[in-house]
Amino acid sequence: MHRTYDDLTGFDAEDLRTEQQVAILPRSHPLAARPALSTADLRDLPDLPAARWPRVDGTYPDGPGPEVRSQAQLAQLVALGRTVIVIPRSSRTLQWPEHVAVPVLDAALATTVIAWPAASTSPDVARAVRNAVSAAETFAASRTA
């Protein structure tokens, strides 16, 4: 889960990684050739309106962008030149050959977290959380060494 995107109400969470965000654009879009973007560059793009995810109640916010229900659908819509997304840099694994990832310099940093139900007393959940935190710390240390 990611802070800024996911609702963590009712969950306890441990931060794993904080990172820059990137815009995933269709390779053919003019902004895809830039080395970096700002949020202003991405605001109100008439040819690439922001995708709309359903609210908790299943309704969609108003807007011109396509309604999406899955990451695969979203990736396809980017490849077709119908929308743009801004995601944490490590989420580029969603990137297809038809996509380009461009850093968004002034986007809020995104924090990846591991989350679990706040009332959980499961030793297995506690072990999974400890392992995820340890792996994140090991990864961070290897990147600074």
Side-chain angles (χ1 to χ4, degrees), residues 63-93:
E67 296 178 354
V68 296
R69 289 185 169 77
S70 71
Q71 294 289 345
Q73 180 188 22
L74 181 59
Q76 182 67 44
L77 289 167
V78 172
L80 291 170
R82 302 262 327 273
T83 192
V84 60
I85 56 174
V86 177
I87 57 175
R89 191 171 83 193
S90 63
S91 296
R92 287 177 306 162
T93 56

Side-chain angles (χ1 to χ4, degrees), residues 16-17 132-145:
L16 299 178
R17 180 180 189 172
V133 170
S134 177
E137 290 170 349
T138 299
F139 178 77
S142 72
R143 302 215 13 123
T144 59

Side-chain angles (χ1 to χ4, degrees), residues 49-68:
R52 296 176 294 135
W53 289 91
R55 297 179 183 114
V56 174
D57 67 4
T59 64
Y60 285 86
D62 291 334
E67 296 178 354
V68 296

